[in-house]
Amino acid sequence: MKKFYRAWLLALFLCLTHNTWAQQENPISGIVQTNTGEPLPGATVFLKGTFVGTSTDREGKFTLRADFSTTPVVLSVSFVGFETRDISLNKPEGALNVALAPSAAFTNEVVVAASRVEEGILQAPVTVEKITAQQVERIPTADIQVGLNHFKGIDVNSSSLLMNSLSTRGFNSAKSERLIQLTDYFDTQSPSLNANAGNLTGVPELDIESIEIIHGPASALYGANAFNGVLLLNSRDPFVSEGLSLRVRGGQRSYLDGQVRYAKKLGEKFAFKVVGSYLTADDWLAENYNASSTQIERRNNAEGSTLGYDAVNRYGELGGFTFPQNFPFPEVRGKTVFMPGFDEKTLVANDDKATARKFQPTVSYLLNSNTKMTVGASFARGTASYQSSSRYRLKDFGTNQYHGEIKGKNWFLRGQSVQDFGNNSYDLSFLGAFIQTSPIPGVTDAQGNSVSYAKAYYNAYAQTYAGSRQSGLSNEQAQAAAQAAAAKYQLDPNSPEFSSLRSQIIKDATPGQGARLNPSSLLNEGNAQYNFHFGEATDLIVGAAYRKFRLGSNGNLYADDNARIQNHELGGYAQLTHKMLDERLKVAIAGRLDDFKNFDPAFSPRASAVYSAGANKQHNFRASYGRAFRSPTQLDQYIRLDVGQVLLLGNVGNGYQGYSLTNLSPVEYAKLKLERLNTYEVGYKAILAEKVLVDVNYFRSNYNDFIGAQRFIGNRDGSRPTPQQLQSGQATQFQGRNADTRVLQVWTNASQEVRTQGAALGLTYYMTKALNLTGNYSLNVLEDGNLPEGFQTFFNTPKHKYNLGVNGVAMSSLSYSLNYRWAQGHLYEMPFAQGELDDYSSLDAFVGYSLPKLGATLQAGASNLLNQNNTQVYGGPNIGRLAFVGVLVDIK
């Protein structure tokens, strides 16, 4: 990683010492206004076809330099909501006046993510959403990505305040596995978790220029895991957006969010920016005390049972004693006693603050007007709760990222290195369990061996129950008496002993006795692309990408006891685009071939067509077909995690054989393969009556070799247990951490085809600048008629959901937005917990009042203003109201 970064710095130094740019430069100055004479601060002014540009100050004024040795020099002036204007100059101008006409429906918006080249958003071949910097400013959620659920077809699953996962078109999860997240085209995933932590390690809002979201498969251009979409955050260019920006917000739940951005051009070729942020608030903690599903804990009792039961968000509820079949009282034969565990608030204790700290320096250098070089770094640390096979408290979790890019007019070369750090993170299930199994100070059995709290609890329960029945009490009375007698062996959470044990266990990373989770893995990747132009109508882009994972957890998460696990992927892609019929019809064919260390090569094709009708090409009809592949996550491939009742193992070896948990019939699971997806989509995007933007789409998807988790009885090495091993395992409930025969969970491919379909409709009515009405509706349907009973799809998606909103800018100074979101309840499945979610909703509001002379904007906002039920992840917290006030200062 150090060598990588030094190489980029050396290249930058060489560029700085070599003058490659023409010296015939003259200043151009002017002002950008509306056609009614109002200044447009933040408008961008570029020398067309180059990277030379700037933005206007608060009075709409700008200055940049141009080489007039070749004329004309063309300025391209643009601003969100206005028509882009090109101005030809044959000589320098010192008082240029540029008037932009409004374009209420944002017809001048350009996207890059959909085809990896610039194109108008109306002509994009697939469903794509773009959120501008102005829209970002009005999203009131603590994590900007949570607010993306205001837009059609986008689901956000929050497992804590700052740990959020995005998805489109189904198969939601608290860990984003099917949608890739990029910042300036660099992957932001945690290499260890193979998950994106919302914006916990991403870009502060002050530095976001725009956000683009592709719906559906994009593997043909982005690789195997662009399965259900792509999220692209574009940061602000220091050449274009200079100056100092400060933002401070404070509010409920001890919420404090401070951000700063400073960017400066040094001469005409060199620019830099420094971005930093700090956020803290009382985190949302999970409080679901319903009984865990028997799919998760097969021996569980009903909620409220005096035998005890395993609750979703209590940890350490060990089912450590099962009454034998020869027990003298038949009512409890084969039933399991559960020791009461500890709730999340108790175990998290003083680690209950959500935090995010980011520092991101970047330098850019123009080798010439058409070639730009950028190097940068991102250092991020944060605290949040993550949910997967357990609930994890990621304390001071973070990433160090170093990246570099050289970009020309038609090409780019990029590379990055990312390392993540678990630091002081810990597993709540392990923490609760290891507290219970800790020895009671000064207590031993008859043989002089130490006695744990759990052992003492179960002994007291069993002895008291048997004695109570023998004395004539009923089954219910005996269970109540046994529970009361055993309760004295439950460690008091307020005791010094509890505090000491908690501190000791969360600092201990030893497998089988400590809860600390401190993986530190690396991801190195590079990619390149070139765009060939064949006349005015045909383009061909070709590109390639390589990535290498080096996984490390010291045996806590992966089977990496002796050395880092290494894994790699290599891919190449091409896309041919041709325009015809007076550029009304655009057809494109794309394909990508990927090779993997553990899987067979895979080819991902995409074909699309867009037809633009109407006098101004305002009616756009699109159709596309795409095939995508999902590579199993690094965890799916290499995990080795013992969570007590089950041992989780990776599955890239020779597969597994064993016995079903339900009827002990033989089962066999082959090694993992790539999951495959075929999607057909049609859509229509148009401007109606110059005021209404409509975007509607329908899709149908077929998933094959669907990746899901399976639990069964088997041996660690993948072999089928012998009858003797099976009998021995049944006697101990397969719970021994060192036993060869265990209840195992592995990821495998389903033979059944999984089918989904859906539609989305978005409408925006631009009545006036002061009043815009928005609404969208999304439908997602899982066709489960062909699936066997009990098959887990992890679809986790509301069938119906909608948003209704209003926003605008009134009196030139008052900006506002109001959005109501509703989603239908649904089944939610994860390895940690599964159950039914109730309907959930949220009303989000924002208002800002600008003070132009001070360069300041006063802000106030709230997410979930009415504090409604807003639980999006089963086993996760309810995301309640968070209101704030703040101020934003921009100094050009």
Side-chain angles (χ1 to χ4, degrees):
M1 180 172 65
K2 291 181 180 178
K3 292 181 180 179
F4 171 86
Y5 195 41
R6 289 169 182 165
W8 281 103
L9 290 177
L10 176 61
L12 177 62
F13 174 78
L14 294 175
C15 292
L16 289 171
T17 57
H18 182 64
N19 191 350
T20 59
W21 205 355
Q23 302 298 313
Q24 307 289 324
E25 295 172 358
N26 295 281
I28 303 172
S29 300
I31 185 171
V32 180
Q33 301 173 317
T34 68
N35 53 11
T36 59
E38 299 178 38
L40 285 174
T44 58
V45 184
F46 273 93
L47 299 183
K48 192 169 183 177
T50 76
F51 292 118
V52 180
T54 187
S55 62
T56 57
D57 63 17
R58 74 185 65 163
E59 296 176 344
K61 296 179 180 178
F62 71 93
T63 299
L64 80 165
R65 302 179 70 86
D67 177 10
F68 280 87
S69 59
T70 301
T71 57
V73 169
V74 180
L75 296 185
S76 181
V77 185
S78 62
F79 189 73
V80 175
F82 289 80
E83 296 286 354
T84 298
R85 185 175 172 188
D86 290 346
I87 299 172
S88 295
L89 300 175
N90 291 309
K91 62 180 181 178
E93 291 281 353
L96 193 63
N97 194 315
V98 182
L100 298 184
S103 172
F106 295 174
T107 55
N108 66 332
E109 282 298 312
V110 172
V111 293
V112 181
S115 301
R116 296 198 77 138
V117 292
E118 286 190 359
E119 59 190 343
I121 193 169
L122 292 179
Q123 287 78 40
V126 293
T127 300
V128 61
E129 204 80 43
K130 182 172 183 178
I131 295 92
T132 66
Q134 289 84 350
Q135 290 172 299
V136 167
E137 183 180 330
R138 298 173 194 169
I139 293 176
T141 51
D143 182 338
I144 182 63
Q145 291 190 21
V146 175
L148 299 182
N149 59 18
H150 293 180
F151 301 90
K152 69 178 183 301
I154 300 173
D155 289 294
V156 179
N157 287 207
S158 300
S159 52
S160 60
L161 183 69
L162 298 177
M163 182 62 69
N164 305 287
S165 172
L166 271 73
S167 185
T168 69
R169 299 186 175 176
F171 303 100
N172 298 340
S173 171
K175 48 176 186 171
S176 179
E177 298 173 331
R178 297 165 178 268
L179 178 146
I180 64 170
Q181 183 174 316
L182 309 172
T183 296
D184 295 329
Y185 289 94
F186 294 108
D187 197 331
T188 60
Q189 68 171 291
S190 158
S192 294
L193 302 179
N194 259 190
N196 290 292
N199 204 34
L200 184 68
T201 58
V203 183
E205 288 92 323
L206 279 186
D207 197 38
I208 294 178
E209 178 66 31
S210 64
I211 302 173
E212 298 177 36
I213 303 108
I214 301 175
H215 296 233
S219 291
L221 295 176
Y222 289 93
N225 288 335
F227 204 63
N228 277 30
V230 176
L231 171 68
L232 172 63
L233 278 72
N234 299 301
S235 70
R236 297 165 66 188
D237 185 344
F239 277 107
V240 178
S241 301
E242 287 188 85
L244 175 66
S245 298
L246 299 165
R247 195 188 79 178
V248 179
R249 291 177 175 178
Q252 292 179 298
R253 304 185 64 81
S254 303
Y255 173 61
L256 175 64
D257 181 8
Q259 300 186 11
V260 60
R261 179 186 185 273
Y262 180 69
K264 179 67 176 176
K265 283 201 300 185
L266 302 177
E268 297 302 315
K269 300 182 183 182
F270 184 78
F272 74 92
K273 66 179 178 181
V274 178
V275 185
S277 67
Y278 175 78
L279 184 152
T280 182
D282 297 335
D283 208 349
W284 303 110
L285 301 179
E287 298 177 325
N288 183 342
Y289 304 121
N290 295 329
S292 296
S293 166
T294 53
Q295 290 263 30
I296 304 298
E297 174 49 81
R298 61 191 179 88
R299 304 164 300 158
N300 207 10
N301 302 311
E303 182 177 344
S305 170
T306 46
L307 287 167
Y309 70 99
D310 180 69
V312 174
N313 291 130
R314 283 204 296 262
Y315 311 91
E317 288 171 316
L318 306 177
F321 174 75
T322 300
F323 286 100
Q325 293 298 330
N326 61 356
F327 195 71
F329 303 100
E331 297 92 336
V332 293
R333 289 175 186 166
K335 294 190 175 181
T336 299
V337 177
F338 286 84
M339 184 179 186
F342 307 99
D343 61 28
E344 192 161 306
K345 183 178 180 181
T346 297
L347 292 183
V348 170
N350 294 329
D351 297 334
D352 60 348
K353 291 286 187 182
T355 62
R357 307 181 300 279
K358 305 172 190 176
F359 176 66
Q360 299 173 346
T362 302
V363 294
S364 295
Y365 181 75
L366 289 178
L367 280 73
N368 54 53
S369 63
N370 294 314
T371 309
K372 181 168 69 172
M373 178 176 178
T374 300
V375 294
S378 174
F379 307 99
R381 300 291 184 272
T383 296
S385 290
Y386 170 69
Q387 184 169 317
S388 179
S389 298
S390 179
R391 291 273 295 172
Y392 304 93
R393 192 62 178 168
L394 303 185
K395 183 181 179 184
D396 301 322
F397 174 85
T399 59
N400 290 348
Q401 180 205 49
Y402 306 91
H403 60 266
E405 176 189 61
I406 301 177
K407 181 166 63 174
K409 186 177 180 181
N410 299 312
W411 59 274
F412 65 75
L413 176 66
R414 300 186 179 115
Q416 74 157 344
S417 179
V418 184
Q419 183 171 13
D420 60 11
F421 304 90
N423 287 328
N424 300 309
S425 303
Y426 51 92
D427 183 321
L428 293 178
S429 296
F430 282 179
L431 176 56
F434 294 148
I435 288 175
Q436 306 281 45
T437 56
S438 296
I440 304 174
V443 177
T444 59
D445 59 16
Q447 287 75 39
N449 299 316
S450 62
V451 177
S452 68
Y453 292 97
K455 185 176 181 180
Y457 183 95
Y458 298 129
N459 286 342
Y461 192 104
Q463 292 170 7
T464 303
Y465 177 83
S468 298
R469 293 301 306 274
Q470 289 167 358
S471 65
L473 295 183
S474 67
N475 176 50
E476 291 76 12
Q477 292 171 328
Q479 286 186 23
Q483 192 175 45
K488 66 180 180 180
Y489 296 106
Q490 176 80 31
L491 187 58
D492 182 1
N494 297 313
S495 67
E497 292 83 0
F498 181 91
S499 179
S500 176
L501 269 177
R502 176 188 176 276
S503 178
Q504 172 187 325
I505 293 169
I506 65 175
K507 293 177 182 177
D508 189 348
T510 307
Q513 70 181 47
R516 187 179 181 191
L517 187 68
N518 187 23
S520 181
S521 302
L522 297 101
L523 167 62
N524 295 321
E525 66 174 353
N527 55 83
Q529 179 179 295
Y530 195 92
N531 188 1
F532 297 93
H533 299 287
F534 301 102
E536 295 295 323
T538 305
D539 291 310
L540 172 67
I541 64 169
V542 294
Y546 174 79
R547 57 172 49 195
K548 182 174 184 178
F549 290 90
R550 296 166 57 204
L551 307 174
S553 71
N554 296 316
N556 291 131
L557 187 62
Y558 292 108
D560 63 327
D561 298 309
N562 301 315
R564 289 185 182 273
I565 297 171
Q566 301 200 24
N567 199 359
H568 65 262
E569 302 171 6
L570 173 67
Y573 61 90
Q575 177 177 262
L576 180 67
T577 304
H578 183 67
K579 298 177 182 178
M580 60 189 81
L581 303 180
D582 193 25
E583 296 192 351
R584 289 186 177 274
L585 177 62
K586 180 175 69 173
V587 294
I589 300 175
R592 176 170 174 139
L593 181 65
D594 285 283
D595 188 34
F596 307 87
K597 177 182 178 181
N598 294 323
F599 312 106
D600 293 333
F603 180 66
S604 307
R606 186 178 83 178
S608 64
V610 182
Y611 183 77
S612 302
N616 298 311
K617 301 180 181 178
Q618 69 270 34
H619 300 282
N620 294 270
F621 302 86
R622 65 182 183 271
S624 66
Y625 162 76
R627 181 197 297 166
F629 291 85
R630 181 166 85 89
S631 173
T633 68
Q634 305 304 309
L635 287 168
D636 297 345
Q637 297 180 53
Y638 296 111
I639 192 172
R640 186 188 63 195
L641 181 65
D642 193 334
V643 295
Q645 72 269 26
V646 62
L647 174 64
L648 282 62
L649 295 174
N651 187 13
V652 290
N654 298 315
Y656 289 86
Q657 296 178 328
Y659 296 96
S660 166
L661 284 171
T662 54
N663 56 17
L664 294 183
S665 61
V667 294
E668 186 170 345
Y669 301 108
K671 66 170 287 189
L672 276 168
K673 298 186 293 185
L674 299 173
E675 183 177 335
R676 296 176 289 132
L677 163 66
N678 291 278
T679 292
Y680 301 86
E681 176 186 338
V682 292
Y684 169 69
K685 195 164 191 172
I687 305 297
L688 306 179
E690 298 185 353
K691 290 286 187 179
V692 179
L693 174 63
V694 58
D695 189 2
V696 59
N697 68 78
Y698 168 80
F699 69 90
R700 186 173 186 86
S701 299
N702 298 329
Y703 296 81
N704 295 97
D705 295 322
F706 188 85
I707 298 173
Q710 292 286 350
R711 291 188 177 187
F712 60 99
I713 300 168
N715 290 334
R716 291 169 177 263
D717 63 3
S719 63
R720 180 174 283 118
T722 64
Q724 293 80 9
Q725 288 175 315
L726 187 63
Q727 184 177 6
S728 174
Q730 286 177 301
T732 61
Q733 295 298 311
F734 308 101
Q735 290 295 299
R737 287 187 176 272
N738 297 317
D740 288 330
T741 304
R742 295 288 306 275
V743 174
L744 304 180
Q745 176 175 302
V746 302
W747 279 260
T748 186
N749 300 95
S751 58
Q752 293 82 10
E753 184 176 68
V754 178
R755 306 184 190 115
T756 67
Q757 61 175 318
L761 169 66
L763 293 169
T764 303
Y765 180 27
Y766 300 92
M767 294 183 65
T768 66
K769 183 179 180 181
L771 183 62
N772 302 316
L773 303 178
T774 64
N776 60 69
Y777 166 77
S778 302
L779 171 70
N780 286 280
V781 178
L782 172 68
E783 299 179 4
D784 54 6
N786 66 317
L787 301 178
E789 184 177 355
F791 181 80
Q792 290 184 282
T793 64
F794 301 91
F795 189 59
N796 301 344
T797 304
K799 182 176 182 179
H800 304 285
K801 61 179 180 285
Y802 66 82
N803 283 277
L804 295 173
V806 58
N807 62 75
V809 178
M811 302 178 294
S812 300
S813 298
L814 182 67
S815 61
Y816 69 95
S817 68
L818 190 69
N819 188 88
Y820 177 74
R821 173 182 55 83
W822 176 89
Q824 185 180 36
H826 54 90
L827 175 66
Y828 202 101
E829 301 170 308
M830 286 196 74
F832 170 69
Q834 73 174 56
E836 290 285 341
L837 290 177
D838 294 330
D839 298 352
Y840 48 98
S841 59
S842 177
L843 178 66
D844 300 337
F846 172 87
V847 61
Y849 187 78
S850 63
L851 304 168
K853 292 184 179 180
L854 300 177
T857 302
L858 304 179
Q859 300 179 334
S863 54
N864 198 3
L865 181 62
L866 303 180
N867 209 29
Q868 298 166 297
N869 175 58
N870 192 25
T871 303
Q872 306 148 14
V873 174
Y874 192 81
N878 183 57
I879 310 300
R881 177 173 54 236
L882 182 62
F884 67 86
V885 294
V887 61
L888 169 66
V889 178
D890 277 310
I891 302 172
K892 175 69 172 177

